[in-house]
Amino acid sequence: MSYQTLLLEVEGQIAVLTVNRAEKLNALNDQVVADLAQAARDLAANAAVRGVILTGAGPKAFIAGADIGDLAKQGVMDGRARALKGQGMLEGFEKMGKPVLAAVNGFALGGGCELAMACHIRIASENARFGQPEVNLGITPGYGGTQRLPRIVGKGNALYMLLTGEHVGAQDALRMGLVSKVVPQDQLMAEAQKLMKTIVAKGPVALALTMDAVDRGLETTLEEGLRIEADAFGLVASTSDMKEGLTAFLEKRAAKFTGS
Ligand code: COA
């Protein structure tokens, strides 16, 4: 697997995917969006990979948004199609069925903030800055900013960011729940690896069903969400991973999950 605009390193069960366009602060041009969509499909299909870390090249940016040069060229009928294509790419990560962690190493603006929000966990370096600055350009967010941001940080915080276009620092992002952890920049990837190693040691089926129950449950009533949870609980009861997890606890040893 190789991509024009991405670096992919797979070590053990963890893939590190880096958007590699540092000279343009890793802005999402059409090629990056196409490469990311392909990478999400490849990683989903790769049974050896159990978790993915997504980050940006260089010390300054995770992703500084959609490529404004590409946006400037778009015709009147192109915007909706561009938004749907980008949204589809983000869903490739959100619905991969494997945990995806965004290691936000600098600017995460516009599409960068939106891509980070489609990941299951976000951690940030102290220099990270988040924002939805689309209104500064006279446009609206197109890759989920109006939808995932309020679901993560609440309507008030989301509208503050969406209407002012202001950047939010790492500590404010932590306070709002936009990220789960802030660490010094030189420790970001080590922390991401440490977290992901902890996560991929769990049962893959249990992880996938948990993420699915959270996502589907957030879009429905509590009653329906609880049924989704019960269905997942019923399904995991049929896996050998459940037997292994319970037996390993009783035998006071680490479980070895196979994902079956
Ligand atoms: N699209 C295309 N190019 C971008 C970009 C984007 N979203 N963000 C940064 N770049 C490019 C710059 O044009 C510049 O290219 P150049 O060296 O060829 O001129 C390069 O990346 C470095 O950016 P620069 O603006 O010089 O860095 P800075 O440290 O002064 O400012 C930002 C950093 C992030 C504050 C600033 O680049 C910015 O506001 N970017 C746009 C963010 C945005 O609106 N994103 C949402 C788009 S919908």
Side-chain angles (χ1 to χ4, degrees), residues 21-25 27-28 60 64-69 71 107 109-111 133-134 136-137 139 167:
R21 219 187 153 217
E23 73 289 355
K24 293 287 182 190
L25 305 187
L28 298 172
K60 251 181 103 171
D67 189 296
I68 296 171
L71 295 184
F107 291 111
L109 305 176
E134 287 86 349
N136 296 336
L137 303 167
I139 59 174
H167 298 176

Side-chain angles (χ1 to χ4, degrees), residues 17-256:
L17 191 61
T18 305
V19 179
N20 190 26
R21 219 187 153 217
E23 73 289 355
K24 293 287 182 190
L25 305 187
N26 304 316
L28 298 172
N29 65 10
D30 293 343
Q31 188 62 49
V32 181
V33 172
D35 284 351
L36 282 167
Q38 186 58 48
R41 286 191 288 272
D42 293 342
L43 290 165
N46 185 341
V49 170
R50 290 215 186 151
V52 178
I53 297 170
L54 185 60
T55 193
K60 251 181 103 171
F62 174 70
I63 293 167
D67 189 296
I68 296 171
D70 279 0
L71 295 184
K73 284 185 221 137
Q74 76 186 10
V76 282
M77 301 305 284
D78 298 341
R80 188 167 188 275
R82 177 184 297 280
L84 290 173
K85 196 181 233 184
Q87 289 173 5
M89 179 272 282
L90 263 63
E91 278 179 25
F93 288 93
E94 190 170 50
K95 298 190 194 310
M96 191 183 285
K98 304 174 185 190
V100 184
L101 182 152
V104 179
N105 55 313
F107 291 111
L109 305 176
C113 188
E114 292 170 317
L115 179 54
M117 290 191 290
C119 296
H120 306 104
I121 297 181
R122 286 160 295 285
I123 65 169
S125 55
E126 286 164 344
N127 65 319
R129 295 187 73 73
F130 296 80
Q132 296 291 156
E134 287 86 349
V135 286
N136 296 336
L137 303 167
I139 59 174
T140 52
Y143 294 179
T146 63
Q147 301 305 307
R148 290 194 184 86
L149 189 59
R151 281 169 170 75
I152 294 172
V153 302
K155 183 176 169 181
N157 285 321
L159 280 171
Y160 184 93
M161 287 176 68
L162 290 161
L163 299 183
T164 65
E166 274 179 25
H167 298 176
V168 166
Q171 288 302 335
D172 281 336
L174 182 65
R175 180 183 53 77
M176 284 194 261
L178 186 51
V179 299
S180 298
K181 215 169 215 185
V182 176
V183 296
Q185 185 160 36
D186 61 355
Q187 290 167 32
L188 181 67
M189 291 314 288
E191 184 62 31
Q193 285 279 358
K194 190 173 128 200
L195 270 173
M196 194 47 90
K197 273 188 187 132
T198 308
I199 295 169
V200 298
K202 321 292 182 203
V205 181
L207 291 175
L209 289 174
T210 299
M211 291 186 292
D212 183 59
V214 169
D215 279 347
R216 287 168 56 209
L218 275 173
E219 303 311 320
T220 187
T221 60
L222 176 63
E223 192 182 0
E224 179 60 24
L226 289 170
R227 294 297 91 73
I228 292 170
E229 182 178 278
D231 289 346
F233 201 73
L235 258 178
V236 278
S238 68
T239 63
S240 21
D241 276 355
M242 186 194 83
K243 285 190 195 75
E244 166 63 8
L246 303 182
T247 308
F249 178 84
L250 295 172
E251 293 175 356
K252 300 190 190 302
R253 60 173 174 82
K256 276 202 178 139

